[in-house]
């Protein structure tokens, strides 16, 4: 089954403790992206990647890092999480022809 | 630059009544336009998309949307609401050269539909 898999689905952590949210897709897609969803703000893009070792900032990249060492994986790294990064995070992927973006189930992160 | 405005953060619709969600966009290049639906505790699912072919686009679950360039709008409609339509709906825009993929989407703030029996 074609899918985008995020882990974990839920995470509660403390301020300053480094964490990684993983994203993996099994569709051989070139493009991958991370969004955060906040009430009243919709989805905002954090980072995106157009292929292995090619990443670029989205609209709200501050406080986040990403890497794309393999085509299927696109982890989101929070080096020093802060409470304002409490949010619902989505990973998405699409192919080079870009007919449609496929989204993961989301990761609900709480930073206390 | 591109942006999307969705009018109303939530709407309440009686079961069987018309559903209308408004979306206006701004784009400096020819756009592709999308509606996504998000059910509780789930990711986003593509409902329908406009990619410069027919201006009236039909999607899943009986939804349709019409692209009106003169009004920069892409409103979503469904003739008869069903309880299962209760969800969050997002309008999104992408440059046509990007095609609507994971790199170029800009989303509106979302509209939640409440269905009343």
């Amino acid at each position: 089954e074609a899918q985008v898999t995020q882990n974990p689905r839920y995470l509660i952590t403390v301020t300053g403790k480094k964490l990684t949210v993983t994203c993996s897709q099994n569709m051989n897609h070139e493009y991958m992206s991370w969004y955060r969803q906040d009430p009243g703000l919709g989805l905002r893009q954090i980072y995106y990647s157009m292929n292995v070792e090619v990443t670029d900032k989205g609209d709200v990249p501050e406080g986040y890092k990403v890497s794309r060492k393999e085509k299927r994986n696109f982890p989101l790294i929070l080096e020093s999480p802060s409470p304002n990064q409490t949010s619902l995070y989505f990973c998405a992927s699409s192919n080079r022809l870009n007919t449609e973006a496929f989204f993961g189930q989301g990761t609900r992160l709480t930073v206390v | 630059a591109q942006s999307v405005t969705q009018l109303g953060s939530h709407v309440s619709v009686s079961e069987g009544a018309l559903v209308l969600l408004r979306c206006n966009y701004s784009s400096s290049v020819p756009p592709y336009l999308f509606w996504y639906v998000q059910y509780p505790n789930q990711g986003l699912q593509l409902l329908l998309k406009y990619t410069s072919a027919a201006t009236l686009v039909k999607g899943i679950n009986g939804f349709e949307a019409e692209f009106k360039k003169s009004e920069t709008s892409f409103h979503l409609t469904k003739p008869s609401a069903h309880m299962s339509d209760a969800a969050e709906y997002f309008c999104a825009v992408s440059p046509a050269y990007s095609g609507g993929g994971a790199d170029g989407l800009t989303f509106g703030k979302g509209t939640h539909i409440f269905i009343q029996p």
Side-chain angles (χ1 to χ4, degrees), chain A residues 14-110:
Chain A
V14 296
T15 299
K17 185 177 181 182
K18 180 180 179 180
L19 66 91
T20 299
V21 183
T22 64
C23 174
S24 180
Q25 50 91 5
N26 62 0
M27 295 168 279
N28 201 36
H29 284 169
E30 290 83 6
Y31 296 167
M32 297 185 75
S33 184
W34 276 103
Y35 295 86
R36 60 177 289 174
Q37 181 183 5
D38 301 290
L41 296 178
L43 281 85
R44 294 177 293 168
Q45 191 179 54
I46 303 171
Y47 270 94
Y48 65 94
S49 169
M50 299 179 78
N51 215 324
V52 176
E53 302 291 1
V54 180
T55 63
D56 209 346
K57 296 178 181 178
D59 298 318
V60 288
E62 293 77 21
Y64 304 95
K65 286 176 56 178
V66 293
S67 69
R68 189 89 182 273
K69 292 182 169 52
E70 304 167 282
K71 196 173 186 179
R72 64 182 293 128
N73 296 323
F74 190 44
L76 179 68
I77 303 156
L78 285 72
E79 295 271 3
S80 183
S82 62
N84 65 13
Q85 293 178 298
T86 293
S87 188
L88 179 58
Y89 291 86
F90 287 101
C91 180
S93 74
S94 61
N95 62 26
R96 187 167 49 83
L97 296 177
N98 267 332
T99 53
E100 178 181 343
F102 292 83
F103 285 81
Q105 295 284 77
T107 296
R108 185 167 292 281
L109 172 65
T110 301

Side-chain angles (χ1 to χ4, degrees), chain B residues 23-106:
Chain B
C23 172
N24 288 88
Y25 71 92
S26 172
S27 179
S28 56
V29 298
Y32 284 177
L33 292 155
F34 307 82
W35 277 99
Y36 282 84
V37 60
Q38 182 182 32
Y39 298 105
N41 297 316
Q42 294 190 25
L44 278 72
Q45 178 184 358
L46 183 65
L47 204 54
L48 50 80
K49 60 184 177 182
Y50 164 76
T51 57
S52 73
T55 56
L56 182 61
V57 181
K58 295 186 185 300
I60 61 173
N61 302 336
F63 284 92
E64 64 181 40
E66 185 172 10
F67 172 68
K68 292 187 177 180
K69 185 178 179 180
S70 61
E71 300 177 7
T72 60
S73 69
F74 191 57
H75 302 331
L76 181 71
T77 61
K78 181 175 180 178
S80 177
H82 190 272
M83 294 299 291
S84 60
D85 295 327
E88 189 89 14
Y89 293 78
F90 292 94
C91 183
V93 63
S94 175
Y97 61 76
S98 172
D103 56 322
L105 285 167
T106 297

